[in-house]
Coordinates of all heavy atoms in Angstrom, one line a residue:
M27 N -40.7 -23.8 -15.2 CA -40.0 -24.1 -14.0 C -41.0 -24.5 -12.9 O -42.0 -24.0 -12.8 CB -39.3 -22.8 -13.5 CG -38.5 -23.0 -12.3 SD -37.6 -21.6 -11.7 CE -36.4 -21.4 -12.9
K28 N -40.6 -25.6 -12.2 CA -41.5 -26.2 -11.2 C -40.8 -26.1 -9.9 O -39.5 -26.2 -9.8 CB -41.8 -27.6 -11.5 CG -42.7 -27.8 -12.7 CD -43.1 -29.2 -12.9 CE -44.0 -29.4 -14.0 NZ -44.5 -30.7 -14.2
C29 N -41.6 -26.0 -8.8 CA -41.1 -26.0 -7.5 C -40.6 -27.4 -7.1 O -41.3 -28.4 -7.4 CB -42.2 -25.6 -6.5 SG -41.7 -25.7 -4.8
P30 N -39.4 -27.6 -6.6 CA -38.9 -28.9 -6.2 C -39.6 -29.5 -5.1 O -39.6 -30.7 -4.9 CB -37.4 -28.7 -5.9 CG -37.3 -27.3 -5.6 CD -38.4 -26.5 -6.3
K31 N -40.3 -28.7 -4.3 CA -41.0 -29.2 -3.1 C -42.4 -29.7 -3.4 O -42.8 -30.8 -3.1 CB -41.0 -28.1 -2.0 CG -41.5 -28.6 -0.7 CD -41.4 -27.5 0.4 CE -41.9 -28.0 1.7 NZ -41.8 -26.9 2.7
C32 N -43.2 -28.8 -4.0 CA -44.6 -29.1 -4.3 C -45.0 -29.4 -5.8 O -46.1 -29.7 -6.1 CB -45.6 -28.0 -3.7 SG -45.5 -26.5 -4.6
K33 N -44.0 -29.2 -6.6 CA -44.1 -29.4 -8.1 C -45.1 -28.5 -8.8 O -45.7 -28.8 -9.8 CB -44.5 -30.9 -8.4 CG -43.6 -31.9 -7.7 CD -42.2 -31.8 -8.3 CE -41.4 -33.0 -7.7 NZ -40.1 -32.7 -7.4
D34 N -45.4 -27.3 -8.2 CA -46.3 -26.3 -8.8 C -45.6 -25.5 -9.8 O -44.4 -25.3 -9.7 CB -46.9 -25.5 -7.7 CG -48.1 -24.6 -8.2 OD1 -48.8 -25.0 -9.1 OD2 -48.4 -23.6 -7.6
N35 N -46.3 -24.9 -10.8 CA -45.7 -24.1 -11.8 C -45.7 -22.6 -11.5 O -45.0 -21.9 -12.2 CB -46.5 -24.3 -13.1 CG -46.2 -25.6 -13.8 OD1 -45.2 -26.3 -13.5 ND2 -47.1 -26.1 -14.6
E36 N -46.3 -22.2 -10.4 CA -46.3 -20.7 -10.1 C -45.1 -20.4 -9.3 O -45.1 -20.4 -8.1 CB -47.6 -20.4 -9.3 CG -48.9 -20.6 -10.0 CD -50.1 -20.2 -9.2 OE1 -50.0 -19.2 -8.5 OE2 -51.1 -20.9 -9.3
V37 N -44.0 -20.0 -10.1 CA -42.8 -19.6 -9.5 C -42.4 -18.2 -9.9 O -42.5 -17.9 -11.0 CB -41.7 -20.6 -9.9 CG1 -40.3 -20.2 -9.4 CG2 -42.0 -22.0 -9.5
L38 N -42.0 -17.4 -8.9 CA -41.5 -16.0 -9.1 C -40.0 -16.0 -9.0 O -39.5 -16.5 -8.0 CB -42.2 -15.1 -8.1 CG -41.9 -13.6 -8.1 CD1 -42.4 -13.0 -9.4 CD2 -42.4 -12.9 -6.9
I39 N -39.4 -15.3 -9.9 CA -37.9 -15.2 -9.9 C -37.6 -13.7 -9.5 O -38.1 -12.8 -10.0 CB -37.3 -15.5 -11.2 CG1 -37.6 -17.0 -11.5 CG2 -35.8 -15.3 -11.2 CD1 -37.2 -17.4 -12.9
Q40 N -36.6 -13.6 -8.5 CA -36.2 -12.3 -8.0 C -34.7 -12.2 -7.9 O -34.0 -13.2 -7.7 CB -36.8 -12.0 -6.6 CG -38.3 -11.8 -6.5 CD -38.7 -11.5 -5.1 OE1 -38.0 -11.9 -4.1 NE2 -39.8 -10.8 -5.0
M41 N -34.2 -11.0 -8.0 CA -32.8 -10.7 -7.8 C -32.6 -10.2 -6.4 O -33.3 -9.2 -6.0 CB -32.2 -9.7 -8.8 CG -32.3 -10.1 -10.2 SD -31.3 -11.5 -10.6 CE -29.7 -10.8 -10.6
V42 N -31.8 -10.9 -5.6 CA -31.7 -10.5 -4.2 C -30.2 -10.1 -3.9 O -29.3 -10.7 -4.4 CB -32.0 -11.8 -3.3 CG1 -31.7 -11.5 -1.8 CG2 -33.4 -12.3 -3.5
S43 N -30.1 -9.0 -3.2 CA -28.8 -8.4 -2.9 C -28.2 -9.1 -1.7 O -28.8 -9.2 -0.7 CB -28.9 -6.9 -2.6 OG -27.6 -6.4 -2.2
E44 N -27.0 -9.7 -1.9 CA -26.3 -10.4 -0.8 C -25.4 -9.5 0.0 O -25.1 -9.7 1.1 CB -25.5 -11.6 -1.4 CG -26.3 -12.7 -1.9 CD -25.5 -13.9 -2.2 OE1 -24.2 -13.8 -2.2 OE2 -26.0 -14.9 -2.6
G45 N -24.9 -8.4 -0.7 CA -24.1 -7.5 0.0 C -23.4 -6.5 -1.0 O -23.6 -6.6 -2.2
S46 N -22.8 -5.5 -0.4 CA -22.1 -4.5 -1.3 C -20.7 -4.2 -0.7 O -20.5 -4.4 0.5 CB -23.0 -3.3 -1.4 OG -23.1 -2.7 -0.1
K47 N -19.9 -3.7 -1.6 CA -18.5 -3.3 -1.2 C -18.2 -2.0 -1.8 O -18.4 -1.8 -3.0 CB -17.5 -4.4 -1.7 CG -16.1 -4.1 -1.3 CD -15.2 -5.2 -1.7 CE -13.8 -4.9 -1.3 NZ -12.9 -5.9 -1.7
T48 N -17.8 -1.0 -1.0 CA -17.4 0.3 -1.5 C -15.9 0.5 -1.5 O -15.3 0.2 -0.5 CB -18.1 1.4 -0.6 OG1 -19.5 1.2 -0.6 CG2 -17.8 2.8 -1.1
T49 N -15.4 0.9 -2.6 CA -14.0 1.2 -2.7 C -13.8 2.7 -2.9 O -14.6 3.3 -3.6 CB -13.3 0.4 -3.8 OG1 -13.9 0.7 -5.0 CG2 -13.3 -1.0 -3.5
K50 N -12.8 3.3 -2.4 CA -12.5 4.7 -2.5 C -11.2 5.0 -3.1 O -10.2 4.4 -2.6 CB -12.6 5.4 -1.1 CG -12.6 6.9 -1.2 CD -12.8 7.5 0.2 CE -12.8 9.0 0.1 NZ -13.1 9.7 1.4
K51 N -11.1 5.8 -4.1 CA -9.9 6.2 -4.7 C -9.5 7.6 -4.3 O -10.3 8.5 -4.4 CB -10.0 6.2 -6.3 CG -8.7 6.4 -7.0 CD -8.9 6.3 -8.5 CE -7.7 6.6 -9.2 NZ -7.9 6.6 -10.7
K52 N -8.3 7.7 -3.7 CA -7.9 9.0 -3.2 C -7.4 10.0 -4.3 O -7.1 9.5 -5.4 CB -6.8 8.8 -2.1 CG -7.2 8.1 -0.9 CD -6.1 8.0 0.1 CE -6.6 7.3 1.4 NZ -5.5 7.3 2.4
N53 N -7.3 11.2 -3.9 CA -6.8 12.2 -4.9 C -5.3 12.0 -5.2 O -4.6 11.5 -4.3 CB -7.0 13.7 -4.3 CG -8.5 14.0 -4.3 OD1 -9.3 13.6 -5.1 ND2 -8.8 14.9 -3.4
S54 N -4.9 12.5 -6.3 CA -3.5 12.4 -6.7 C -2.6 13.4 -6.0 O -3.2 14.4 -5.5 CB -3.3 12.5 -8.2 OG -3.6 13.8 -8.6
I55 N -1.3 13.2 -6.0 CA -0.4 14.2 -5.4 C -0.5 15.5 -6.2 O -0.4 16.6 -5.5 CB 1.0 13.6 -5.5 CG1 1.2 12.3 -4.7 CG2 2.1 14.6 -5.1 CD1 1.2 12.6 -3.2
I56 N -0.6 15.5 -7.5 CA -0.7 16.7 -8.3 C -1.9 17.6 -7.9 O -1.8 18.8 -7.7 CB -0.7 16.4 -9.8 CG1 0.6 15.7 -10.2 CG2 -1.0 17.6 -10.6 CD1 0.6 15.1 -11.6
R57 N -3.1 16.9 -7.7 CA -4.2 17.7 -7.2 C -4.1 18.3 -5.9 O -4.5 19.4 -5.6 CB -5.5 16.7 -7.3 CG -6.8 17.5 -7.0 CD -7.9 16.5 -7.1 NE -9.2 17.2 -6.8 CZ -10.0 17.6 -7.7 NH1 -9.8 17.4 -9.0 NH2 -11.1 18.3 -7.4
S58 N -3.4 17.5 -4.9 CA -3.2 18.1 -3.6 C -2.2 19.2 -3.6 O -2.4 20.2 -2.9 CB -2.6 16.9 -2.7 OG -3.6 15.9 -2.6
M59 N -1.2 19.1 -4.5 CA -0.2 20.2 -4.6 C -0.9 21.5 -5.2 O -0.6 22.6 -4.8 CB 1.0 19.8 -5.4 CG 1.9 18.8 -4.6 SD 3.2 18.1 -5.6 CE 4.0 19.5 -6.3
A60 N -1.7 21.3 -6.2 CA -2.4 22.4 -6.8 C -3.3 23.1 -5.8 O -3.4 24.3 -5.8 CB -3.2 21.9 -8.0
R61 N -4.0 22.3 -5.0 CA -4.9 22.9 -4.0 C -4.0 23.8 -3.0 O -4.4 24.9 -2.6 CB -5.7 21.9 -3.2 CG -6.6 22.5 -2.2 CD -7.6 21.5 -1.7 NE -8.3 22.0 -0.5 CZ -9.4 22.7 -0.6 NH1 -9.8 23.1 -1.8 NH2 -10.0 23.2 0.4
A62 N -2.9 23.2 -2.5 CA -2.0 23.9 -1.6 C -1.5 25.2 -2.2 O -1.4 26.2 -1.5 CB -0.9 23.0 -1.2
T63 N -1.2 25.2 -3.5 CA -0.7 26.4 -4.2 C -1.8 27.4 -4.3 O -1.5 28.6 -4.0 CB -0.2 26.0 -5.6 OG1 0.8 25.0 -5.5 CG2 0.3 27.2 -6.4
M64 N -3.0 27.0 -4.5 CA -4.1 28.0 -4.5 C -4.4 28.6 -3.2 O -4.7 29.8 -3.1 CB -5.4 27.3 -5.1 CG -5.3 27.0 -6.5 SD -5.1 28.4 -7.6 CE -6.7 29.2 -7.4
V65 N -4.2 27.8 -2.1 CA -4.4 28.3 -0.8 C -3.4 29.4 -0.5 O -3.7 30.5 0.1 CB -4.4 27.2 0.3 CG1 -4.3 27.7 1.7 CG2 -5.6 26.3 0.1
V66 N -2.1 29.1 -0.8 CA -1.0 30.1 -0.5 C -1.2 31.3 -1.4 O -1.1 32.4 -1.0 CB 0.3 29.4 -0.8 CG1 1.4 30.4 -0.7 CG2 0.6 28.3 0.3
G67 N -1.6 31.1 -2.7 CA -1.7 32.2 -3.6 C -2.8 33.1 -3.4 O -2.8 34.3 -3.7
T68 N -3.9 32.7 -2.7 CA -5.0 33.5 -2.4 C -5.0 34.0 -1.0 O -6.0 34.6 -0.5 CB -6.4 32.8 -2.7 OG1 -6.4 31.6 -1.9 CG2 -6.5 32.5 -4.2
G69 N -4.0 33.7 -0.3 CA -3.9 34.2 1.1 C -4.8 33.4 2.0 O -5.3 34.0 3.1
G70 N -5.1 32.2 1.7 CA -5.9 31.4 2.6 C -7.4 31.3 2.3 O -8.2 30.6 2.8
A71 N -7.9 32.2 1.4 CA -9.3 32.2 1.0 C -9.7 31.0 0.3 O -10.9 30.5 0.4 CB -9.6 33.4 0.1
W72 N -8.8 30.3 -0.4 CA -9.1 29.1 -1.2 C -9.4 28.0 -0.2 O -10.2 27.0 -0.5 CB -8.0 28.7 -2.1 CG -8.4 27.6 -3.0 CD1 -8.0 26.3 -2.9 CD2 -9.1 27.7 -4.2 NE1 -8.5 25.6 -3.9 CE2 -9.2 26.4 -4.8 CE3 -9.7 28.7 -4.9 CZ2 -9.8 26.1 -6.0 CZ3 -10.3 28.4 -6.1 CH2 -10.4 27.2 -6.6
A73 N -8.9 28.0 1.0 CA -9.1 27.0 2.0 C -10.6 26.9 2.5 O -11.0 25.9 3.0 CB -8.2 27.2 3.2
L74 N -11.3 28.0 2.2 CA -12.8 28.0 2.6 C -13.6 27.3 1.6 O -14.8 27.0 1.9 CB -13.2 29.5 2.7 CG -12.5 30.3 3.8 CD1 -13.0 31.8 3.7 CD2 -12.7 29.7 5.2
T75 N -13.1 26.9 0.4 CA -13.9 26.2 -0.5 C -14.0 24.7 -0.2 O -13.0 24.2 0.5 CB -13.3 26.4 -2.0 OG1 -12.0 25.8 -2.0 CG2 -13.3 27.8 -2.4
P76 N -15.0 24.0 -0.6 CA -15.1 22.6 -0.2 C -14.0 21.8 -0.9 O -13.6 22.0 -2.0 CB -16.5 22.2 -0.7 CG -17.1 23.3 -1.3 CD -16.2 24.5 -1.2
K77 N -13.5 20.8 -0.2 CA -12.5 19.9 -0.7 C -13.1 18.7 -1.3 O -14.0 18.1 -0.8 CB -11.6 19.5 0.5 CG -10.4 18.7 0.1 CD -9.6 18.3 1.3 CE -8.5 17.4 0.9 NZ -7.7 16.9 2.1
H78 N -12.6 18.3 -2.5 CA -13.0 17.1 -3.2 C -12.2 15.9 -2.6 O -11.0 15.9 -2.6 CB -12.7 17.3 -4.7 CG -13.3 16.1 -5.5 ND1 -12.5 15.0 -5.8 CD2 -14.5 15.9 -6.0 CE1 -13.2 14.2 -6.5 NE2 -14.4 14.7 -6.7
D79 N -12.9 14.9 -2.1 CA -12.3 13.8 -1.4 C -11.9 12.7 -2.2 O -11.2 11.8 -1.8 CB -13.2 13.3 -0.3 CG -13.4 14.3 0.9 OD1 -12.5 15.1 1.1 OD2 -14.4 14.3 1.5
G80 N -12.3 12.6 -3.5 CA -11.9 11.5 -4.3 C -13.2 10.8 -4.9 O -14.3 11.3 -4.8
K81 N -13.0 9.6 -5.5 CA -14.1 8.9 -6.1 C -14.4 7.7 -5.3 O -13.5 7.0 -4.8 CB -13.7 8.5 -7.5 CG -13.5 9.7 -8.4 CD -13.1 9.2 -9.8 CE -12.9 10.4 -10.7 NZ -12.5 10.0 -12.1
E82 N -15.7 7.3 -5.2 CA -16.2 6.1 -4.6 C -16.9 5.3 -5.6 O -17.7 5.8 -6.4 CB -17.1 6.4 -3.4 CG -16.4 7.0 -2.2 CD -17.3 7.2 -1.0 OE1 -18.5 6.8 -1.2 OE2 -16.9 7.7 0.0
K83 N -16.7 4.0 -5.5 CA -17.5 3.0 -6.4 C -18.1 2.0 -5.5 O -17.4 1.5 -4.5 CB -16.6 2.3 -7.4 CG -16.2 3.2 -8.5 CD -15.4 2.4 -9.6 CE -15.1 3.3 -10.7 NZ -14.3 2.5 -11.8
T84 N -19.3 1.6 -5.7 CA -20.0 0.6 -4.9 C -20.4 -0.5 -5.8 O -21.1 -0.3 -6.9 CB -21.2 1.1 -4.2 OG1 -20.8 2.2 -3.4 CG2 -21.9 0.1 -3.4
K85 N -20.0 -1.7 -5.5 CA -20.4 -2.9 -6.2 C -21.3 -3.8 -5.4 O -21.1 -4.0 -4.2 CB -19.2 -3.8 -6.6 CG -18.3 -3.1 -7.6 CD -17.1 -4.0 -8.0 CE -16.2 -3.4 -9.0 NZ -15.1 -4.3 -9.4
Q86 N -22.4 -4.2 -6.0 CA -23.3 -5.1 -5.3 C -23.3 -6.5 -5.9 O -23.2 -6.7 -7.1 CB -24.8 -4.6 -5.5 CG -25.0 -3.3 -4.7 CD -26.5 -3.0 -4.7 OE1 -27.3 -3.5 -5.5 NE2 -26.9 -2.1 -3.8
K87 N -23.4 -7.5 -5.0 CA -23.4 -8.9 -5.4 C -24.9 -9.3 -5.4 O -25.6 -9.2 -4.3 CB -22.6 -9.7 -4.4 CG -22.5 -11.2 -4.9 CD -21.6 -12.0 -4.0 CE -21.5 -13.4 -4.6 NZ -20.7 -14.2 -3.7
L88 N -25.4 -9.7 -6.5 CA -26.8 -10.1 -6.7 C -26.9 -11.6 -6.9 O -26.0 -12.2 -7.6 CB -27.5 -9.3 -7.8 CG -27.5 -7.8 -7.7 CD1 -28.0 -7.2 -9.0 CD2 -28.3 -7.4 -6.5
T89 N -28.0 -12.2 -6.4 CA -28.2 -13.6 -6.6 C -29.7 -13.8 -7.1 O -30.6 -13.1 -6.7 CB -28.1 -14.4 -5.3 OG1 -26.8 -14.1 -4.8 CG2 -28.3 -15.9 -5.5
K90 N -29.9 -14.7 -8.0 CA -31.2 -15.1 -8.5 C -31.8 -16.1 -7.6 O -31.3 -17.1 -7.3 CB -31.1 -15.7 -9.9 CG -30.8 -14.8 -11.0 CD -30.9 -15.5 -12.4 CE -30.4 -14.7 -13.5 NZ -30.4 -15.5 -14.8
M91 N -33.0 -15.7 -7.1 CA -33.8 -16.6 -6.2 C -35.1 -16.8 -6.8 O -35.8 -15.9 -7.3 CB -33.9 -15.9 -4.8 CG -32.6 -15.7 -4.1 SD -31.8 -17.2 -3.5 CE -33.0 -17.8 -2.3
A92 N -35.6 -18.1 -6.7 CA -36.9 -18.5 -7.1 C -37.8 -18.7 -5.9 O -37.3 -19.3 -4.9 CB -36.9 -19.7 -8.0
I93 N -39.0 -18.3 -5.9 CA -39.9 -18.4 -4.8 C -41.2 -19.0 -5.3 O -41.9 -18.5 -6.3 CB -40.2 -17.1 -4.1 CG1 -38.9 -16.4 -3.6 CG2 -41.2 -17.3 -3.0 CD1 -39.1 -15.0 -3.1
C94 N -41.7 -20.1 -4.7 CA -42.9 -20.8 -5.1 C -44.1 -20.0 -4.5 O -44.1 -19.7 -3.3 CB -42.9 -22.2 -4.6 SG -44.5 -23.1 -5.0
Q95 N -45.0 -19.6 -5.4 CA -46.2 -18.8 -4.9 C -47.2 -19.7 -4.2 O -48.1 -19.2 -3.5 CB -46.9 -18.1 -6.1 CG -46.0 -17.2 -6.8 CD -45.6 -16.0 -5.9 OE1 -46.4 -15.3 -5.3 NE2 -44.3 -15.8 -5.7
N96 N -47.1 -21.0 -4.3 CA -48.0 -21.9 -3.7 C -47.6 -22.3 -2.3 O -48.4 -22.1 -1.3 CB -48.2 -23.2 -4.6 CG -49.3 -24.1 -4.1 OD1 -50.3 -23.7 -3.5 ND2 -49.1 -25.4 -4.3
C97 N -46.4 -22.8 -2.1 CA -46.0 -23.3 -0.8 C -45.0 -22.3 -0.1 O -44.7 -22.5 1.1 CB -45.3 -24.7 -0.9 SG -43.8 -24.7 -1.8
G98 N -44.4 -21.4 -0.8 CA -43.5 -20.4 -0.2 C -42.0 -20.9 -0.2 O -41.2 -20.2 0.4
H99 N -41.7 -22.0 -0.7 CA -40.4 -22.5 -0.8 C -39.5 -21.7 -1.6 O -39.9 -21.2 -2.7 CB -40.4 -24.0 -1.3 CG -39.0 -24.6 -1.4 ND1 -38.2 -24.9 -0.3 CD2 -38.3 -25.0 -2.5 CE1 -37.1 -25.4 -0.7 NE2 -37.1 -25.5 -2.0
S100 N -38.2 -21.4 -1.2 CA -37.4 -20.6 -2.0 C -36.0 -21.3 -2.2 O -35.6 -22.1 -1.4 CB -37.1 -19.2 -1.4 OG -36.5 -19.4 -0.1
W101 N -35.4 -21.1 -3.4 CA -34.1 -21.7 -3.7 C -33.4 -20.8 -4.7 O -33.9 -20.0 -5.3 CB -34.3 -23.1 -4.3 CG -35.0 -23.1 -5.6 CD1 -34.4 -23.2 -6.9 CD2 -36.4 -23.1 -5.9 NE1 -35.4 -23.2 -7.8 CE2 -36.6 -23.2 -7.3 CE3 -37.6 -23.0 -5.1 CZ2 -37.9 -23.1 -7.9 CZ3 -38.8 -23.0 -5.7 CH2 -39.0 -23.0 -7.1
E102 N -32.1 -21.0 -4.7 CA -31.2 -20.2 -5.6 C -31.1 -20.9 -6.9 O -30.9 -22.1 -7.1 CB -29.8 -20.2 -4.9 CG -28.8 -19.3 -5.7 CD -27.5 -19.2 -5.0 OE1 -27.4 -19.5 -3.8 OE2 -26.5 -18.8 -5.7
I103 N -31.1 -20.0 -8.0 CA -31.0 -20.4 -9.3 C -29.6 -20.2 -9.8 O -29.0 -19.1 -9.6 CB -32.0 -19.7 -10.3 CG1 -33.4 -19.9 -9.8 CG2 -31.8 -20.1 -11.7 CD1 -34.4 -19.0 -10.6
K104 N -29.0 -21.2 -10.3 CA -27.6 -21.1 -10.8 C -27.5 -21.1 -12.3 O -28.4 -21.4 -13.0 CB -26.8 -22.3 -10.3 CG -26.7 -22.2 -8.8 CD -25.8 -23.3 -8.2 CE -25.8 -23.2 -6.7 NZ -24.9 -24.0 -6.1

């Protein structure tokens, strides 16, 4: 691979993060009803335990970038 600007062969390829997106999945109705039943059944003691909020997933968008070690020019590889 050669730099399009200076035509040198010393090119470094890196993965660059462009951004990320987090999605959250809430608990089901059955899980919420089970928790409420436990709170009532234990006289409120179950309410002192930590509540599970659901699941989160994060996706990152990555791009391949090439950087010339001679002149510093950078470009995206497709």
Side-chain angles (χ1 to χ4, degrees):
M27 180 179 290
K28 290 186 177 184
C29 174
K31 187 174 181 182
C32 71
K33 308 297 185 214
D34 192 26
N35 288 339
E36 294 184 38
V37 177
L38 178 69
I39 299 173
Q40 292 182 334
M41 298 297 285
V42 178
S43 176
E44 287 188 358
S46 62
K47 183 178 180 181
T48 302
T49 57
K50 186 173 183 179
K51 184 177 178 183
K52 293 185 178 182
N53 290 332
S54 67
I55 296 287
I56 295 171
R57 186 176 179 102
S58 299
M59 288 174 52
R61 181 169 172 81
T63 303
M64 289 299 291
V65 169
V66 171
T68 59
W72 189 261
L74 300 175
T75 61
K77 183 179 174 185
H78 186 266
D79 290 334
K81 296 180 181 177
E82 289 186 0
K83 287 186 178 180
T84 302
K85 292 185 180 179
Q86 288 189 345
K87 185 174 181 182
L88 300 173
T89 305
K90 287 183 188 177
M91 296 290 292
I93 301 171
C94 178
Q95 297 297 305
N96 188 30
C97 68
H99 178 67
S100 62
W101 66 97
E102 183 177 342
I103 301 173
K104 295 184 182 185

